[in-house]
Amino acid sequence: DADVTQTPRNRITKTGKRIMLECSQTKGHDRMYWYRQDPGLGLRLIYYSFDVKDINKGEISDGYSVSRQAQAKFSLSLESAIPNQTALYFCATSVPGTSGRDNEQFFGPGTRLTVL
Amino acid sequence: LAKTTQPISMDSYEGQEVNITCSHNNIATNDYITWYQQFPSQGPRFIIQGYKTKVTNEVASLFIPADRKSSTLSLPRVSLSDTAVYYCLVGSETGANNLFFGTGTRLTVIP
């Protein structure tokens, strides 16, 4: 079974709808992240959380919110989706302190979101 | 934030050694350098990490000069399956600096 899972894998929705993307991990990592990737571009950080009580904005948090329900779960919400939020969304986890692989991030398979 | 600069794209023939250089002039004392590889429609995957001098693993080598203002990822004898985007990140584990992937370098391996 995959260590980092994302649901749904694909979603088509309409402008103005509320959408929630879910991420679960079995790696036991405290740190979790949400990124978006637009075609031909790199990854941009939306939000990150270093533990259950910690939430931080990334580069592009406007229009998004997150919830860290437990160590293993980190959800991303689009309160009112708009077409320019159409993108591939990735969740990732990490743990600090491993020599030579410090804070290595492990990514989920991604969620492809289309907002019409 | 230690910003990184990489070439947008590179082409190489199969079997050649490929070197991708990353510039990070504002690297801090505690920062290390990490490289990731991403295939289309997949999340990035860790390749290698280093702090100074040279690091080698089964996949790649990472060369870091004494001033640490740049680093070079070296892929020996590339194959078609090495066609991917490669990202250079700089930061320390205590902060969020090493979470910024940028646009990376798109490597295309030609038969």
Side-chain angles (χ1 to χ4, degrees):
Chain A
D1 288 339
D3 295 320
V4 184
T5 58
Q6 295 184 231
T7 56
R9 294 294 311 279
N10 290 282
R11 181 72 184 268
I12 299 174
T13 190
K14 295 182 178 180
T15 297
K17 294 291 187 180
R18 183 178 188 274
I19 297 296
M20 178 179 287
L21 309 183
E22 311 225 15
C23 177
S24 295
Q25 53 114 346
T26 58
K27 300 188 74 67
H29 291 172
D30 285 329
R31 299 184 174 189
M32 297 188 73
Y33 314 87
W34 276 104
Y35 292 90
R36 70 174 276 177
Q37 186 167 37
D38 297 281
L41 300 180
L43 282 79
R44 290 185 290 170
L45 182 66
I46 305 173
Y47 272 96
Y48 64 99
S49 169
F50 280 1
D51 65 42
V52 175
K53 298 180 181 179
D54 177 70
I55 299 290
N56 303 282
K57 293 183 177 181
E59 302 172 80
I60 52 164
S61 58
D62 287 349
Y64 301 94
S65 62
V66 291
S67 173
R68 184 81 186 268
Q69 304 93 321
Q71 185 201 43
K73 296 185 182 297
F74 194 36
S75 300
L76 176 71
S77 293
L78 288 67
E79 296 301 325
S80 179
I82 56 177
N84 75 0
Q85 291 178 312
T86 293
L88 183 57
Y89 289 84
F90 288 104
C91 172
T93 74
S94 74
V95 63
T98 304
S99 178
R101 304 179 80 97
D102 211 344
N103 212 40
E104 174 186 356
Q105 292 189 60
F106 296 85
F107 284 80
T111 294
R112 190 169 298 278
L113 176 66
T114 302
V115 183
L116 301 176
Chain B
L1 280 180
K3 181 180 178 180
T4 62
T5 303
Q6 305 175 232
I8 294 174
S9 64
M10 296 178 68
D11 294 339
S12 177
Y13 288 101
E14 271 191 298
Q16 290 189 330
E17 178 184 75
V18 171
N19 296 309
I20 305 174
T21 298
C22 180
S23 173
H24 29 80
N25 292 315
N26 296 323
I27 190 168
T29 303
N30 293 332
D31 288 346
Y32 44 81
I33 301 150
T34 308
W35 285 80
Y36 285 82
Q37 174 192 57
Q38 185 184 26
F39 297 115
S41 298
Q42 296 184 26
R45 182 179 66 174
F46 175 95
I47 302 175
I48 197 166
Q49 184 180 88
Y51 183 80
K52 61 181 179 180
T53 63
K54 177 184 175 182
V55 180
T56 298
N57 62 22
E58 65 279 4
V59 176
S61 294
L62 178 59
F63 298 92
I64 306 167
D67 66 6
R68 305 203 321 125
K69 294 184 181 299
S70 67
S71 59
T72 299
L73 174 72
S74 181
L75 305 173
R77 299 178 297 284
V78 294
S79 64
L80 295 177
S81 63
D82 292 316
T83 293
V85 178
Y86 293 83
Y87 298 95
C88 164
L89 284 72
V90 172
S92 66
E93 62 89 12
T94 56
N97 293 347
N98 58 349
L99 307 177
F100 296 95
F101 280 76
T103 55
T105 298
R106 184 174 299 276
L107 172 66
T108 301
V109 179
I110 305 164

